[in-house]
Amino acid sequence: MCTMSFQTLNQYKEVDAEHLQTLLNDKILKGRTFQTGGFSLDDCKGIIALMDQSFTGRLNPGEFVRLWERVVALQAMFYKQDVTRIGYLSMIELHDAVQANGIKINDDLLNLMVLRYGDSSGRIGLESYVVLMLRLERMAKIFQKQSDGKGLYLQADEWMLLTMYS
């Protein structure tokens, strides 16, 4: 597992996608990117978009600390659920990992997540799991915040903002 002290985390004034990519691949994956290619620049741009509350394209120190703590927790959950110890989650292991994070999903959503984030064999690597979970958690939080409990009403510009920058 990766741990960085709060002081170390707070040293980063702003973190852009390229810097985040380096940090994630060096500190979370510890350079072991040969099997999956590591966190891509596109992954990191997507992560920044999910966590960037000020819409600057960069994470401020508070946003970065929150992201880092969440990534470390997701990494721990990934390894806990990877019962086969092959570095990937099967569909069943993914379902259990999502449920363990307090999110209930149906089989249709699970299948779509595996299609979107899995490899050609339907396995989910750590990088994809982190991106998937950050996005799923953010979308669930937005729904809870904007919903009346049954549904969600958005103006066109709100919908576009959610779908294009998140």
Side-chain angles (χ1 to χ4, degrees), residues 37-153:
F39 285 92
S40 71
L41 184 57
D42 193 52
D43 288 340
C44 294
K45 285 180 178 182
I47 290 170
I48 296 265
L50 289 168
M51 302 299 292
D52 176 17
Q53 300 291 306
S54 55
F55 303 107
T56 62
R58 300 172 183 270
L59 300 181
N60 65 39
E63 293 165 340
F64 178 66
V65 168
R66 281 191 300 281
L67 169 64
W68 200 261
E69 290 170 347
R70 193 67 200 121
V71 168
V72 169
L74 289 169
Q75 179 188 33
M77 180 59 66
F78 179 89
Y79 288 122
K80 180 180 179 185
Q81 296 299 327
D82 179 18
V83 295
T84 58
R85 303 288 178 247
I86 60 170
Y88 290 94
L89 297 180
S90 66
M91 188 179 293
I92 292 168
E93 291 168 330
L94 175 63
H95 180 269
D96 293 345
V98 171
Q99 295 266 355
N101 277 290
I103 300 174
K104 296 196 183 311
I105 57 170
N106 63 32
D107 289 343
D108 291 337
L109 181 55
L110 179 66
N111 287 326
L112 288 174
M113 291 187 322
V114 169
L115 283 174
R116 168 62 178 89
Y117 295 96
D119 65 11
S120 60
S121 300
R123 304 174 307 171
I124 306 286
L126 176 60
E127 304 94 307
S128 294
Y129 173 71
V130 168
V131 173
L132 176 159
M133 286 304 300
L134 289 172
R135 184 168 186 82
L136 185 62
E137 290 169 349
R138 181 77 173 126
M139 294 301 112
K141 187 179 284 186
I142 289 170
F143 183 82
Q144 290 170 347
K145 184 178 175 185
Q146 301 285 340
S147 171
D148 62 4
K150 297 178 185 174
L152 180 67
Y153 177 79

